[in-house]
Amino acid sequence: MSSGTTLSGGKSEQDSKDPIVTYEVRADRVAVVTIDDSAETLNTIGPRFGEELTQTLSKLAEDGEVVAIVVRSGKKDSFVVGANIDFLSAIRVASEASTLAGELAKRLGALRKGKPIVAAVHGAALGGGFELALAARAIVASDHKKTVFGLPEVQLGLLPAANGMLRVAERAGLATALDLALTGKNLRPAKAKKLGLVDEVCPEAVLVEVAAELAKKLSRQKIIPKKATKLDAAGITKLLLEENPIGKKILFSKAREATRKKTRGHYPATERILDVLELYAKKGFAAAAELEAKHFGELVVSESSRQLRSIFFATTALKKDSGVDDTKAVARPVTKIGMLGAGLMGGGIAYITSQAGIAVRLKDKDDAGVGRGLKYVREIVDERVKRRSVTREERDQQLALVSGTTDYSGMKNAEVVIEAVFEDIALKHSVLTDVEKATSASTIFASNTSSLPITRIAEAASRPQNVVGMHYFSPVHKMPLLEVVRAKLTSDETVVTAVALGKKQGKTVIVVNDGVGFYTTRILAPYLNEAAYLVSEGIPIESIDKALLDWGFPVGAIKLIDEVGIDVGAHVGKITLDAFGDRMRPPPGLEKLVKDGRAGKKNKKGFYLYDGDKKTAGKKVDPSVYTLLGVTPDKTLKAEEIQMRCALTFVNEAVRCLEEGILRSPRDGDIGAIFGLGFPPFRGGPFRYVDTVSAREIVKRLRGYEAKFGERFTPAKLLVEMGDHDKTFY
Ligand code: NAI
């Protein structure tokens, strides 16, 4: 047995002298190469890593004793999670990034030649990490739930630049390559094997052994393992679409059409991914690889990628943020929660909590309510089993964590109780008093109210330091944000415990100070109001929603009112009007819709028509809305006017939240708006948007509207001050 390390003389980007790549040659002449960047918790691909890997592998290539190589990670539960993107920010010229990408691709490409290399993957192999594994002759994966494969570069406005996309296409076909590269989604090992991306799946304990056996076999056979080609329905479709020129054309034109419908041209990375894969289909690997490096360079310096990367850095920073400043407060461990209200929100919160391995005692008024909540959880997990995202055993383990009740039994030892009962202050007070009686003195009471100030809810508490807001978004299992609301008397310990719980539930968490509508509900209110004003002016609903979709919002504002519920909107509208006065006054007429029994999507009566099947429901405007409101929708307004009026009220209110100390930082404001409300990610959030356009220009536009429409456009003081001094938020 022999072992060694290859030290690059270059300066480390991780400021560590320890080698990242080491190896050991086993008695059976298989070299096991271990990647372990001791300076970081996760392995990422940086320049030093590339150099060390190349040096190690060329040393092993020359070593006559070695017959085959296994590459594994030294990290506990992750393989390699992508390229280190920090250094991309310093790049100003596209060609510089293209060259870097080309070099990395070449280094990885060399892995295919010579002695067989098998990647032994346990934990996440994402982006560059997946590309590294794909460059090996074969991949063996552990069946652990932390093992996932994916190409998430598109989420950063980039494309995978080390030929990973092309290798996915080689192994699993064009449709799979398009799907992975355009969505950035993760694959579990079983699915990856089924698609032909992974050669073997085995338990973690025998991973290196299985990989070594396969490597030795390959060294004897000197052939690349073939994946089985099954002619099932999927196989036939693949044959028709991918194996002939007309089929390929259809595949790409369909993919382009579907992509453009979603991106509306705002995400150039998706177009470039399509270009590269289309060229691969027409001209093969080498030509596509060249284009890939070129496009990568252009995307690195693009505005959209710059903004998307800033979101990535902000979420990474939030993961490390305890939620309070300058304190040593430590989060209490949470092993069990009580969940009051098994409705839409309660069911969703029970699901994400049990998914985090935390027990949930779910309470509703009666058995029917509890049953609905339990069914809601079960349906989401069943769907995931169907999609092979979890195994049956994992489902059973998760469901065993959720139990139901109609009283407070079994809640005594819950460290946190979250309430999502009806939005009614008297009811919130009464459940708070009950919870204090039924639980221990340290139990935290968290409210998922969307509009009631937490300080007001806490008035009924004998332990107000334990009361906090945990504002989730619907549907809870899909929406990434949690807004933790700190009331006047909430303790630091309560805040950090709520934040830690939210992170465990898989959420990106921002902490805001208490106030009517907190941050998210508050900035949404004037935005939705403005859209309603446009309707009352006779602008057709379709053109309002289309303009906002074109600006980059995921749904139009009027459609969003239907989704939230017109009744809920009107209710919250009253609360914000009371708190903030005339600038939040909704246009007259909304109450007529409520009186007419229009609640929106939930009762299939709203601004849009909801009868018909899934395809048609919610697509056409209900013309009787105009009659009820007494308006004729015959006016036209330029899309830009619609976009500016709505977006600027949103942005202006966000700045007010910072000015008043509701927000802790512009970063939290950007993340809250993007993850909670769908503010266009490629614009970086309201604060980065102001920085891009300039505060001076935003104030000028707001003043223009203020002159026309009055105080709902009066610019925030902070914005004016920043405009006057040409300051930026970042
Ligand atoms: P929902 O009507 O679907 O569920 C409320 C549940 O609470 C019902 O099952 C009801 O039977 C139960 N309930 C009522 N009194 C109870 C009591 N004393 N003990 C136990 N259970 C009781 O309502 P949803 O939509 O889940 O909303 C709940 C809370 O979450 C509200 O405060 C709402 O403002 C807030 N919220 C709602 C969002 C949404 O999009 N629906 C988003 C964010 C917050």
Side-chain angles (χ1 to χ4, degrees):
M1 278 234 272
S2 65
S3 65
T5 60
T6 320
L7 270 169
S8 66
K11 193 174 167 278
S12 141
E13 66 275 21
Q14 288 90 354
D15 290 329
S16 157
K17 295 275 181 294
D18 291 343
I20 298 172
V21 180
T22 57
Y23 69 88
E24 191 169 67
V25 182
R26 310 187 337 163
D28 62 358
R29 302 172 64 193
V30 173
V32 177
V33 174
T34 301
I35 304 165
D36 193 351
D37 183 350
S38 64
E40 300 285 333
T41 45
L42 300 169
N43 290 321
T44 57
I45 297 181
R48 191 180 127 204
F49 165 77
E51 232 170 84
E52 284 192 27
L53 186 69
T54 311
Q55 284 184 29
T56 305
L57 294 176
S58 46
K59 205 164 158 188
L60 293 173
E62 282 158 22
D63 188 337
E65 199 194 330
V66 173
V67 294
I69 299 159
V70 168
V71 175
R72 64 184 277 269
S73 157
K75 298 291 179 209
K76 188 169 169 282
D77 277 329
S78 73
F79 183 67
V80 178
V81 294
N84 186 337
I85 64 162
D86 296 2
F87 70 95
L88 294 182
S89 314
I91 296 176
R92 295 276 171 271
V93 192
S95 60
E96 200 186 320
S98 300
T99 310
L100 276 175
E103 274 168 15
L104 177 63
K106 222 182 274 160
R107 280 187 205 273
L108 294 188
L111 305 190
R112 277 296 172 93
K113 298 169 195 125
K115 293 171 189 172
I117 299 177
V118 174
V121 177
H122 168 67
L126 300 174
F130 187 23
E131 295 187 280
L132 165 68
L134 284 163
R137 202 77 78 77
I139 302 175
V140 177
S142 81
D143 57 6
H144 196 270
K145 66 175 174 200
K146 292 226 164 127
T147 302
V148 285
F149 298 90
L151 297 172
E153 285 81 354
V154 70
Q155 289 157 4
L156 300 172
L158 300 170
L159 52 72
N163 305 160
M165 247 181 349
L166 310 179
R167 294 211 167 88
V168 170
E170 268 183 344
R171 284 175 186 243
L174 285 167
T176 301
L178 282 169
D179 186 30
L180 291 190
L182 288 173
T183 60
K185 70 176 168 200
N186 284 349
L187 289 178
R188 295 291 303 270
K191 185 74 193 271
K193 175 151 190 263
K194 187 159 180 257
L195 290 170
L197 291 170
V198 161
D199 301 276
E200 284 187 44
V201 178
C202 64
E204 186 202 346
V206 293
L207 179 67
V208 172
E209 213 41 57
V210 172
E213 282 311 311
L214 180 59
K216 277 190 281 182
K217 199 164 131 200
L218 292 173
S219 77
R220 289 193 293 270
Q221 295 175 341
K222 299 210 184 313
I223 49 158
I224 296 169
K226 264 214 162 88
K227 55 185 188 297
T229 35
K230 266 192 287 163
L231 266 196
D232 51 8
I236 293 169
T237 317
K238 191 167 152 188
L239 203 68
L240 288 176
L241 280 178
E242 300 189 12
E243 310 290 324
N244 74 75
I246 301 171
K248 277 185 208 167
K249 228 182 175 159
I250 296 174
L251 180 72
F252 280 99
S253 72
K254 282 223 147 108
R256 267 189 212 278
E257 196 190 331
T259 303
R260 282 190 191 147
K261 212 170 145 193
K262 265 198 226 148
T263 64
R264 306 211 167 215
H266 292 307
Y267 297 87
T270 55
E271 299 284 333
R272 301 291 87 84
I273 286 167
L274 283 156
D275 294 345
V276 171
L277 284 171
E278 192 159 18
L279 192 67
Y280 167 81
K282 277 191 198 144
K283 299 230 166 113
F285 199 101
E290 203 175 305
L291 186 67
E292 180 184 286
K294 179 172 170 281
H295 280 344
F296 176 73
E298 288 161 10
L299 291 170
V300 165
V301 295
S302 71
E303 175 64 13
S304 126
S305 175
R306 198 176 63 86
Q307 299 288 21
L308 294 172
R309 290 196 316 258
S310 76
I311 298 170
F312 174 79
F313 291 129
T315 47
T316 311
L318 277 169
K319 278 186 193 142
K320 295 179 190 150
D321 188 340
S322 72
V324 297
D325 306 322
D326 306 323
T327 170
K328 297 191 172 45
V330 180
R332 274 183 249 150
V334 177
T335 57
K336 181 179 190 176
I337 72 155
M339 182 67 238
L340 309 185
L344 183 68
M345 298 306 288
I349 299 167
Y351 167 76
I352 56 165
T353 310
S354 54
Q355 199 188 22
I358 297 168
V360 183
R361 190 80 172 141
L362 183 60
K363 175 186 181 296
D364 207 292
K365 285 186 302 192
D366 48 33
D367 289 337
V370 177
R372 263 197 315 275
L374 293 173
K375 183 164 166 255
Y376 187 88
V377 178
R378 201 171 47 241
E379 278 175 359
I380 305 176
V381 199
D382 279 344
E383 181 58 33
R384 297 199 69 213
V385 172
K386 228 163 81 194
R387 281 195 272 118
R388 287 176 181 247
S389 311
V390 294
T391 62
R392 288 200 160 74
E393 296 76 57
E394 283 164 354
R395 171 195 58 193
D396 295 345
Q397 280 166 12
Q398 182 175 349
L399 291 179
L401 288 170
V402 190
S403 62
T405 177
T406 51
D407 55 28
Y408 287 91
S409 67
M411 272 195 217
K412 180 99 197 132
N413 56 352
E415 294 92 355
V416 178
V417 174
I418 305 176
E419 74 76 20
V421 299
F422 302 132
E423 188 79 338
D424 175 275
I425 187 70
L427 181 60
K428 306 273 189 202
H429 278 162
S430 114
V431 295
L432 168 53
T433 320
D434 292 344
V435 167
E436 286 196 337
K437 274 188 226 138
T439 59
S440 77
S442 62
T443 301
I444 290 173
F445 180 87
S447 172
N448 177 48
T449 171
S450 48
S451 59
L452 300 165
I454 303 301
T455 309
R456 227 180 120 203
I457 294 177
E459 278 165 8
S462 61
R463 302 188 288 265
Q465 71 277 12
N466 290 357
V467 180
V468 69
M470 287 180 84
H471 182 208
Y472 296 87
F473 295 76
S474 170
V476 179
H477 65 292
K478 290 202 176 138
M479 294 294 286
L481 188 75
L482 168 65
E483 186 178 29
V484 166
V485 187
R486 169 173 210 142
K488 252 191 213 127
L489 299 174
T490 312
S491 71
D492 278 352
E493 197 185 9
T494 299
V495 173
V496 297
T497 304
V499 170
L501 173 59
K503 287 181 193 165
K504 269 204 161 168
Q505 291 165 328
K507 299 299 168 202
T508 297
V509 189
I510 60 167
V511 176
V512 302
N513 279 310
D514 196 20
V516 171
F518 327 124
Y519 171 60
T520 52
T521 306
R522 173 166 165 188
I523 57 174
L524 191 61
Y527 165 79
L528 297 181
N529 259 354
E530 199 51 36
Y533 271 105
L534 288 161
V535 179
S536 70
E537 286 167 28
I539 314 296
I541 289 169
E542 290 93 339
S543 51
I544 300 169
D545 277 357
K546 179 173 182 304
L548 294 171
L549 286 168
D550 285 345
W551 204 69
F553 278 103
V555 280
I558 302 296
K559 188 69 180 289
L560 185 58
I561 301 179
D562 266 1
E563 301 267 342
V564 171
I566 301 178
D567 53 337
V568 176
H571 179 69
V572 175
K574 267 190 215 111
I575 298 176
T576 45
L577 174 65
D578 284 351
F580 303 110
D582 270 348
R583 72 184 155 87
M584 293 266 191
R585 185 174 297 284
L590 267 191
E591 69 287 353
K592 286 188 204 146
L593 299 184
V594 180
K595 267 195 204 124
D596 187 47
R598 282 175 199 253
K601 189 179 169 186
K602 64 186 166 201
N603 76 344
K604 296 189 171 186
K605 264 182 96 181
F607 287 97
Y608 284 83
L609 291 166
Y610 290 93
D611 22 83
D613 56 23
K614 260 193 185 164
K615 265 195 172 159
T616 55
K619 293 279 185 307
K620 282 221 162 72
V621 169
D622 181 350
S624 64
V625 162
Y626 297 118
T627 321
L628 265 171
L629 293 174
V631 294
T632 316
D634 58 356
K635 305 282 184 305
T636 52
L637 193 62
K638 271 204 277 179
E640 204 206 335
E641 285 289 301
I642 296 173
Q643 292 158 350
M644 282 298 100
R645 277 177 55 181
C646 294
L648 291 187
T649 52
F650 187 112
V651 168
N652 196 26
E653 200 61 35
V655 176
R656 277 206 180 92
C657 288
L658 183 67
E659 179 185 308
E660 291 172 21
I662 297 286
L663 284 172
R664 291 167 70 218
S665 65
R667 172 200 72 188
D668 291 3
D670 282 338
I671 292 300
I674 294 170
F675 286 14
L677 306 172
F679 190 89
F682 72 96
R683 299 190 190 276
F687 294 93
R688 284 200 184 265
Y689 176 69
V690 172
D691 280 1
T692 307
V693 179
S694 89
R696 188 180 286 274
E697 177 62 24
I698 299 276
V699 170
K700 195 174 126 203
R701 290 185 197 175
L702 281 166
R703 291 274 190 233
Y705 289 127
E706 185 189 24
K708 258 190 182 164
F709 303 108
E711 69 176 290
R712 59 183 206 268
F713 285 99
T714 305
K717 264 196 238 114
L718 177 61
L719 205 51
V720 175
E721 197 186 298
M722 293 187 63
D724 286 348
H725 299 96
D726 289 316
K727 281 198 204 150
T728 52
F729 289 109
Y730 287 91

